[in-house]
Each structure stands twice: as structure tokens, then as C-alpha cells.
Amino acid sequence: TDPVIEGLTELNCLNADGMNTVVYANATGLDFSTLGEGAYWANIHTGAAVNDDYRVAWIYDADTKTLTVGGGDDAHIMINYTSKSQRPWDSYADEVVNVVINDNIQVIGHHSFEDMANVISITASSFLVKTSATAIAGTGYYNTEYAKGAVYIYTAGTEELRYAHLIKVNPDKAKEIFIIPERTSSIAEQAFEGCSMIKKLVFTKDIK
């Protein structure tokens, strides 16, 4: 539930997968949280190494059913969760319709929005440089775009100005030549997995 006290509120938990998570409410004012009043952020320790902490901030607007994720660790990375239950917003994953990834996120980790079936809109920024193959798989948006032939995440703005991130190519729709559109700045892991029909890839200068 929303915090009822002012200031920073800390909640400690140890989830079923053994990943220690500290969740802070009312995270405004933190350098890596640019989301405004009512934001939360999680300080996640994977146990892999000393000081192996990752941070991610988020806010959910129940009126517009929009989940906004903004801020990560010092490298602007969203952690690779080992399961969907590890993501901090999983408790309302079935409610979310729109996902907005802020411009201080450069990497989207495994399972971040996977199987959030009601999500029909996903927006990122041109600063995104790496996306997991499982990041948005199973969302309504992914399924619709995959059926058309290829899944892209677009940035906000007009069609002439926005950038795209190639997430997945449908092998059944792939032809011998695949042309990556201009202003596509990143390609997700395993984007071309199974696309044995493709003989030639045409890249653009915008690829980061």
C-alpha cells in the first residue's frame, strides 16, 4: 500500500529465491529516482559479491495503469532477475497496461516485464543499449508485434524523430534480407534466434 508517513520508509524482505531486497517508499530526492512524489526504489543484493547491490526506482499510477521505471545502479542497469517474482512490481503486474522506461535506464534485465499480459504499450528512450531476450516476452504488446514479424520498442515522440530498439524477429516472417530501420539504436539478446532464412543483415549508423 502507499506509505502513510513522511520521509524515507524502509522495508526488508527475503524472497523465495534468496535475493535480499530493501524497498524504500517515498523515494523523491534520490539521485537515481527522477519519478516524482510517491516513487519507490529497491536496493537489491544478489549475494554474488561484496557490495553487489543494484538499485531500481519505480512508480505505478493506478488511474492510468502506467508503470514507470527510472533509475538503476550507478551504471543505469536493471538487474537480471532469475524469475518474474523477483521484480519489485510483480504484485500488480496483472494490472499494468502501459510501461514507461525512463531515460536513465540503459539496460533492461531478464524477466523485467515478462508475461505482463495486459501491457499494450511500452516506451523507452534512445539511451537504451541492451535488452534481455525475456524482458518483455509474453506481454500483449510483444505478442501483437511478433505476429506482424518483428518486435520493436519505440521512444516517445513523432515517428520521424523517435528511435527504436529491436527486440525479436519472428523466424516465420523473416526473409533472406533483413533491413534494420533507421534510428534503431539497439538490438536485444537473441533477437535473431531461429532466423535461419536470413542471409544478409543491413544495419544503420544509429546502432549503439
Side-chain angles (χ1 to χ4, degrees):
T1 60
D2 291 335
V4 294
I5 62 174
E6 295 181 359
L8 202 62
T9 303
E10 180 179 333
L11 305 170
N12 285 284
C13 66
L14 186 66
N15 67 16
D17 295 306
M19 186 172 65
N20 188 44
T21 304
V22 182
V23 178
Y24 296 88
N26 197 10
T28 55
L30 298 173
D31 290 342
F32 40 79
S33 176
T34 58
L35 304 181
E37 185 176 355
Y40 294 82
W41 68 276
N43 190 52
I44 302 166
H45 181 64
T46 63
V50 177
N51 297 324
D52 183 19
D53 289 342
Y54 296 84
R55 301 183 184 96
V56 62
W58 75 97
I59 190 168
Y60 177 61
D61 186 327
D63 293 331
T64 63
K65 299 187 181 301
T66 299
L67 172 69
T68 303
V69 179
D73 67 359
D74 293 338
H76 310 296
I77 295 172
M78 288 174 60
I79 189 172
N80 284 327
Y81 303 108
T82 59
S83 68
K84 294 177 290 185
S85 63
Q86 286 187 339
R87 56 195 180 194
W89 44 83
D90 191 62
S91 61
Y92 42 78
D94 292 338
E95 303 174 21
V96 179
V97 173
N98 308 297
V99 170
V100 177
I101 301 159
N102 232 26
D103 59 7
N104 56 358
I105 291 289
Q106 296 178 0
V107 177
I108 303 177
H110 302 327
H111 310 295
S112 295
F113 311 105
E114 184 182 14
D115 291 336
M116 292 170 61
N118 291 320
V119 170
I120 59 173
S121 171
I122 303 174
T123 304
S125 82
S126 60
F127 295 104
L128 191 62
V129 295
K130 185 176 181 182
T131 307
S132 162
T134 64
I136 68 168
T139 62
Y141 178 81
Y142 181 99
N143 294 339
T144 298
E145 298 301 308
Y146 187 77
K148 296 177 183 177
V151 183
Y152 293 87
I153 296 178
Y154 295 94
T155 63
T158 63
E159 189 169 342
E160 293 78 14
L161 296 176
R162 66 185 184 181
Y163 280 79
H165 308 282
L166 176 58
I167 305 301
K168 181 64 178 174
V169 177
N170 185 340
D172 294 334
K173 301 280 187 176
K175 302 183 185 301
E176 289 194 1
I177 299 176
F178 189 91
I179 301 174
I180 298 174
E182 291 185 11
R183 295 187 176 274
T184 299
S185 59
S186 72
I187 302 172
E189 298 171 349
Q190 302 173 358
F192 293 99
E193 184 178 28
C195 295
S196 58
M197 286 294 296
I198 297 177
K199 307 301 181 185
K200 181 182 293 186
L201 289 173
V202 180
F203 290 84
T204 80
K205 59 181 173 36
D206 299 307
I207 291 289
K208 297 176 180 178

